[in-house]
Amino acid sequence: ISYEPQEEILVTVGGSEAIDAAIRALVSPGDEVIIPEPSYVCYEPITALAGGVPVVVETKAENDFKLTKEQLVSAITDKTKVVILPFPCNPTGAIMEREDLEAIADVLKDTDIMVISDEIYYRLCYDGHSFTSVPSLGEDIKEHCILINGASKSYAMTGWRIGFVAAPAQIVDRMTKGQ
């Protein structure tokens, strides 16, 4: 995936600040944020602090805790502003394979819905599973995607609090102003 360092990258104080900055930059009061659960505990309160409405989608063991296309379609309303994709997922270990993500991208490609792709666990894939970054699926989804990552999980640098965002320039600009 290629980004312009000066315009499309923002360094943050860990992944949590990146998530907070992304939600605050995108969500206005009343906007809905789709959050697959179980997942990181801060998505809901950060959404609420921004005035947004968390829309929790319970993933299921029989689907390996993946967000399905059908679940996403049924959760989208005219107020949906953001979908959070926290895969690989803590605490379930769920990994959305490329074909799973392509189905999700297919739903979102002709909408104005933004994707926050929390990829902090991207190096922690086991048992033959492989990681696919959401923005790598093509320009039509990349322009609607905020990639969040950092050094804490993959490089065992939790105390260093190094995170980053890769996103379209106009989103990074909004996030930088908020930061």
Side-chain angles (χ1 to χ4, degrees):
I1 309 168
S2 179
Y3 289 94
E4 292 296 322
Q6 299 296 322
E7 295 88 26
E8 298 179 314
I9 302 290
L10 175 66
V11 177
T12 60
V13 182
S16 295
E17 184 193 18
I19 294 164
D20 181 70
I23 290 173
R24 288 177 191 263
L26 295 173
V27 175
S28 297
D31 288 342
E32 295 178 350
V33 177
I34 297 174
I35 304 168
E37 286 196 352
S39 63
Y40 182 51
V41 298
C42 288
Y43 298 134
E44 281 187 69
I46 290 170
T47 298
L49 283 170
V53 178
V55 176
V56 173
V57 176
E58 294 292 338
T59 58
K60 300 177 180 357
E62 57 265 22
N63 295 326
D64 297 321
F65 296 103
K66 298 176 184 181
L67 176 66
T68 67
K69 179 179 181 174
E70 295 75 24
Q71 286 176 305
L72 178 60
V73 167
S74 68
I76 292 174
T77 72
D78 60 344
K79 294 182 180 183
T80 303
K81 185 70 174 230
V82 175
V83 174
I84 298 176
L85 294 178
F87 299 98
C89 183
N90 176 22
T92 66
I95 297 171
M96 299 277 286
E97 301 286 348
R98 183 175 192 87
E99 60 273 6
D100 302 319
L101 292 172
E102 286 171 341
I104 298 297
D106 189 52
V107 171
L108 299 173
K109 69 181 177 186
D110 295 323
T111 71
D112 291 328
I113 298 169
M114 292 296 294
V115 173
I116 294 177
S117 185
D118 184 351
E119 300 180 3
I120 197 78
Y121 291 100
Y122 82 107
R123 288 194 180 262
L124 304 177
C125 298
Y126 305 100
D127 298 329
H129 292 284
S130 61
F131 172 76
T132 300
S133 181
V134 177
S136 75
L137 297 175
E139 286 299 316
D140 53 342
I141 193 68
K142 182 183 172 195
E143 68 187 32
H144 294 281
C145 195
I146 297 174
L147 183 156
I148 293 176
N149 210 324
S152 65
K153 307 304 187 261
S154 298
Y155 300 102
M157 297 172 62
T158 55
W160 287 60
R161 309 302 309 140
I162 301 168
F164 70 88
V165 170
Q170 69 273 17
I171 301 296
V172 170
D173 184 58
R174 271 192 264 165
M175 292 175 70
T176 301
K177 288 175 183 169
Q179 189 184 45

